[in-house]
Amino acid sequence: MSEFKELVFSGVQPTGNLHLGNYLGALQKFVALQESHECIYCVVDLHSLTATLVHDDLAEQTRSITAAFLASGIDPRKHIVFNQSQVMQHAELAWIFNCVARIGWMNRMTQFKDKAGKDRENASLGLLAYPSLMAADILVYRATHVPVGDDQKQHLELTRDVAQKFNNDFSGRIAELGCGVEMEVGEEKVNGFFPLTEPLIEGPVTRVMSLRDGSKKMSKSDPSDLSRINLTDDADAISRKIKKAKTDPEALPSEVAGLEGRPEAQNLVGIYSALAGVSRADVLADFGGRQFSDFKPALAELAVEKLSPIAGEMRRISADPAYIDGVLRDGALRAREKAETTMKTVREIIGLIGG
Ligand code: AQP
């Protein structure tokens, strides 16, 4: 039985400065997966148009995310790094997926509800269709694994629904052309063209929360800069933000169970454990019973130690935009070839003449 070849894909939007949430939820995992998998990492510039169409600095933001990828340790020669709009097959497959996915599926997406707010009628059609483009980003490479933060889980489920519906709707053509791969779906064995992609969400913090409010995720678009640690922050800014981070008055617990119902403590301990590469239980074995006034300086020191070299490397790489553009162009060339191989078969499955 043939199987889908394991391939990792993930993307990041150029919508502002990357923060610690992006780093721990995505970039750190991207780097680790390079050792075991073939990886494709994309700056998803077309996605950034869904919320704001006119950006003053889209090109600069795209270069800055690319610099963050490279500074974190992604190797653009061994793997592929590019920006989405240079590979038009993403948009082509997204259109097809717009016709596979149902409006009801899109209306249920919490990210759409959050971002559209009360004025849904006035949200862009692109914002509603965002998950369709995300499904296309992944499936145009028939990627099997996607490292993301917990906030993207629902979009990954939708990607699986799109793949499954496409596989079902075109099962006859897929069998006729012999282009399917056998896979298990529940109890059944089916022959599908697209894999049912697995999200890779595990880790000590799958959702880094705002430093000002432990119930909200750390986000680029939060109006308060104190709510997040930007990858470009210097040591002073990192220390100041951690010092000002919201906490409760209790000492840290000695057991992980004691973090329950204490969102801010949970968040800071999770950040420490992810940065140090140890479990939360290990962190609490060291800091249990101690006050935040002891813990925060240790966390700040660790964060500066881990993030400062990345900020320095980002500055160095960003000083050479021509180099960054070259990386993206080279990556796009290689990505396009893979995407076109998929699209040739998709067009054939559907019956679109042109090959
Ligand atoms: N707070 C977070 N904790 C863990 N992971 C996170 N990610 C984002 N925020 C957190 C993960 O980072 C990757 C890239 O995300 P993105 O920038 O493409 O989109 P986003 O989720 O919309 O990021 P933001 O910061 O929340 O941006 P805005 O404010 O513009 O909406 C994804 O894997 C995401 O899960």
Side-chain angles (χ1 to χ4, degrees), residues 3-244:
E3 281 181 3
F4 285 101
K5 184 168 174 269
E6 288 207 348
L7 179 79
V8 167
F9 176 92
S10 198
V12 175
Q13 292 193 76
T15 46
N17 280 327
L18 286 189
H19 52 70
L20 187 63
N22 299 125
Y23 180 68
L24 296 178
L27 262 63
Q28 203 182 43
K29 293 181 196 158
F30 294 3
V31 173
L33 283 161
Q34 296 184 110
E35 298 302 316
S36 51
H37 287 77
E38 179 183 346
C39 304
I40 303 179
Y41 295 129
C42 183
V43 186
V44 286
D45 47 6
L46 295 176
H47 280 282
S48 76
L49 307 181
T50 58
T52 313
L53 178 60
V54 183
H55 294 250
D56 290 337
D57 54 359
L58 180 56
E60 243 169 72
Q61 290 284 351
T62 302
R63 291 188 189 110
S64 158
I65 306 283
T66 311
F69 281 4
L70 305 181
S72 302
I74 291 170
D75 183 339
R77 289 175 307 268
K78 288 203 186 124
H79 300 275
I80 294 180
V81 173
F82 71 105
N83 60 310
Q84 184 189 29
S85 60
Q86 290 206 61
V87 180
M88 64 194 176
Q89 286 81 355
H90 288 235
E92 182 185 0
L93 187 58
W95 177 255
I96 292 165
F97 286 170
N98 279 342
C99 303
V100 173
R102 309 287 90 185
I103 292 176
W105 301 1
M106 301 296 171
N107 273 326
R108 281 195 290 276
M109 293 295 111
T110 50
Q111 182 172 295
F112 173 65
K113 289 189 216 164
D114 289 347
K115 292 202 169 171
K118 291 208 168 62
D119 195 9
R120 265 203 216 187
E121 292 289 308
N122 211 22
S124 76
L125 190 53
L127 188 65
L128 181 68
Y130 180 112
S132 219
L133 178 58
M134 179 164 159
D137 297 335
I138 297 164
L139 294 174
V140 83
Y141 303 102
R142 298 166 92 195
T144 54
H145 294 87
V146 180
V148 276
D150 178 64
D151 57 316
Q152 291 297 330
K153 194 171 171 199
Q154 200 185 26
H155 288 162
L156 259 300
E157 280 160 8
L158 191 136
T159 298
R160 291 166 66 93
D161 291 343
V162 167
Q164 203 162 353
K165 186 165 186 306
F166 182 96
N167 289 342
N168 279 341
D169 289 353
F170 290 102
S171 57
R173 288 289 292 158
I174 292 168
E176 206 178 297
L177 294 169
C179 60
V181 172
E182 201 177 320
M183 59 185 149
E184 279 172 24
V185 180
E187 307 276 276
E188 264 182 87
K189 279 207 167 35
V190 296
N191 205 268
F193 179 70
F194 288 119
L196 302 186
T197 306
E198 297 284 344
L200 299 172
I201 301 182
E202 68 283 352
V205 267
T206 53
R207 187 184 291 234
V208 177
M209 308 310 276
S210 155
L211 298 180
R212 305 302 294 163
D213 177 352
S215 67
K216 272 171 50 187
K217 80 162 187 162
M218 188 176 281
S219 160
K220 297 184 203 109
S221 51
D222 191 312
S224 165
D225 193 52
L226 284 176
S227 70
R228 64 185 158 260
I229 293 175
N230 302 306
L231 287 190
T232 48
D233 281 346
D234 62 20
D236 281 353
I238 294 175
S239 301
R240 186 165 26 88
K241 288 176 179 180
I242 292 179
K243 196 169 171 199
K244 286 187 183 262

Side-chain angles (χ1 to χ4, degrees), residues 252-253 272 282-291 294-295 298-299:
L252 282 168
Y272 191 105
D282 287 339
V283 179
L284 294 178
D286 283 347
F287 290 98
R290 288 165 67 182
Q291 298 295 333
D294 274 352
F295 180 64
L299 176 59

